Amino acid sequence: MKIGKYCMLLAFLTMLWGCSSDSDDGNKLESSSFASAEKPSWTIDMMASDPVPTWQAPDPSKYESSMVIMVRLEEQLARYASDDDMMTAFIGDECRAKPAPLQKDYSGKCYFVLNIRGNSTDRDVPFSLCYYAAKIHHLFKLNAIQTFVPDITYGIGKDFVPQLIKGSSRYPVQGDLTVKLPDTTPFTPSDDDFLAVFVGDDCRGVGTVGQPFTVFLTSTGETPHVRYYSAQKGGVYTLKQSLTIAAGDSKEVTLSF
């Protein structure tokens, strides 16, 4: 009799543990709705309303040395580039480089060349890059990406491509997301499939299965959800469960349709 009670208790605890682990699994998104649709052109709206900066070039006579950096604009931002763009560098709250205009090479890649000023007390002190994209009125500031080293040239011979988009003024909360598919799906996956993360009907990130991509949020209180386009089905699956993404996250989820 005691053995029977023990077995019943063990079975109950096993069932209880199994139920709680399923409900607490934050790495699964389950249940979806499907709607037939043409192949979507999901894009993130990067339009902002930042005023044109009034950066003042530093007085060279106040500084002992300088370093030169050549910054290549990442592809996500290069699509918005215009001749009115400009970039500079800050150490602390001080502008340390004359605002530089956009330049393009023979292949169409976008670059900025900055001459950053500094003193002996600035050696190995981090500097920040500020980039203003005029076409979309968007200011990007990427803090403490490199340190000041006098009399060197950086970014020539090997491209220096900082992720300036991570310093978006419109989307200050960003995390990386990797989406995986379950073993069984109601469609045949293909290379033409892709997915996106939305807040309401506002696209906040576009990617493909198995590859990390960035999700852009205005605050930690937003609740994004995933949409998946299946080329074979000719439509979009909208996952009903929402995501939780914090700044700096590197998250992985598995979809379950």
Side-chain angles (χ1 to χ4, degrees):
M1 187 66 179
K2 289 182 179 180
I3 294 176
K5 288 182 177 180
Y6 174 77
C7 290
M8 290 176 63
L9 179 61
L10 182 61
F12 173 75
L13 291 175
T14 301
M15 180 180 69
L16 183 64
W17 178 85
C19 291
S20 79
S21 66
D22 284 344
S23 62
D24 292 339
D25 188 355
N27 294 326
K28 277 187 179 180
L29 293 182
E30 298 178 330
S31 184
S32 64
S33 60
F34 177 79
S36 297
E38 297 291 329
K39 185 177 181 179
S41 55
W42 293 324
T43 56
I44 304 164
D45 182 6
M46 281 291 168
M47 183 64 70
S49 56
D50 298 323
V52 179
T54 55
W55 296 321
Q56 297 297 316
D59 180 353
S61 66
K62 294 182 178 180
Y63 302 99
E64 303 165 358
S65 56
S66 65
M67 67 177 288
V68 176
I69 64 169
M70 187 172 183
V71 181
R72 178 183 157 195
L73 201 59
E74 60 196 299
E75 291 302 319
Q76 281 181 285
L77 293 181
R79 69 185 67 172
Y80 306 113
S82 75
D83 291 338
D84 294 323
D85 290 2
M86 55 182 169
M87 183 180 291
T88 191
F90 278 75
I91 293 181
D93 294 328
E94 294 184 4
C95 182
R96 293 294 188 88
K98 180 180 178 180
L102 176 77
Q103 299 183 40
K104 291 186 178 182
D105 68 6
Y106 64 92
S107 66
K109 293 178 181 178
C110 300
Y111 292 89
F112 295 87
V113 179
L114 299 176
N115 187 5
I116 304 174
R117 303 287 180 171
N119 293 312
S120 58
T121 54
D122 297 316
R123 179 180 287 274
D124 298 326
V125 174
F127 62 83
S128 302
L129 287 180
C130 291
Y131 164 60
Y132 182 71
K135 187 182 291 186
I136 55 175
H137 309 288
H138 201 145
L139 179 64
F140 299 86
K141 183 176 182 180
L142 199 57
N143 292 319
I145 58 165
Q146 293 286 338
T147 58
F148 180 79
V149 182
D151 306 320
I152 71 162
T153 301
Y154 191 75
I156 296 176
K158 181 179 181 181
D159 280 347
F160 173 45
V161 193
Q163 290 186 293
L164 284 158
I165 201 167
K166 297 281 191 180
S168 166
S169 60
R170 180 173 178 177
Y171 303 115
V173 178
Q174 299 169 18
D176 289 334
L177 180 67
T178 302
V179 174
K180 293 188 174 182
L181 294 178
D183 294 335
T184 303
T185 59
F187 53 84
T188 303
S190 80
D191 291 340
D192 292 324
D193 293 1
F194 61 104
L195 56 103
V197 172
F198 282 78
V199 174
D201 289 324
D202 190 9
C203 180
R204 297 297 183 82
V206 182
T208 55
V209 168
Q211 299 297 320
F213 64 95
T214 302
V215 176
F216 298 85
L217 303 176
T218 60
S219 71
T220 54
E222 290 190 314
T223 53
H225 62 275
V226 175
R227 298 183 190 179
Y228 183 97
Y229 172 72
S230 166
Q232 191 255 333
K233 282 288 188 180
V236 174
Y237 290 88
T238 299
L239 278 296
K240 295 179 180 179
Q241 285 178 273
S242 60
L243 288 164
T244 301
I245 296 180
D249 265 0
S250 183
K251 193 163 190 173
E252 183 178 292
V253 296
T254 299
L255 307 184
S256 181
F257 301 91

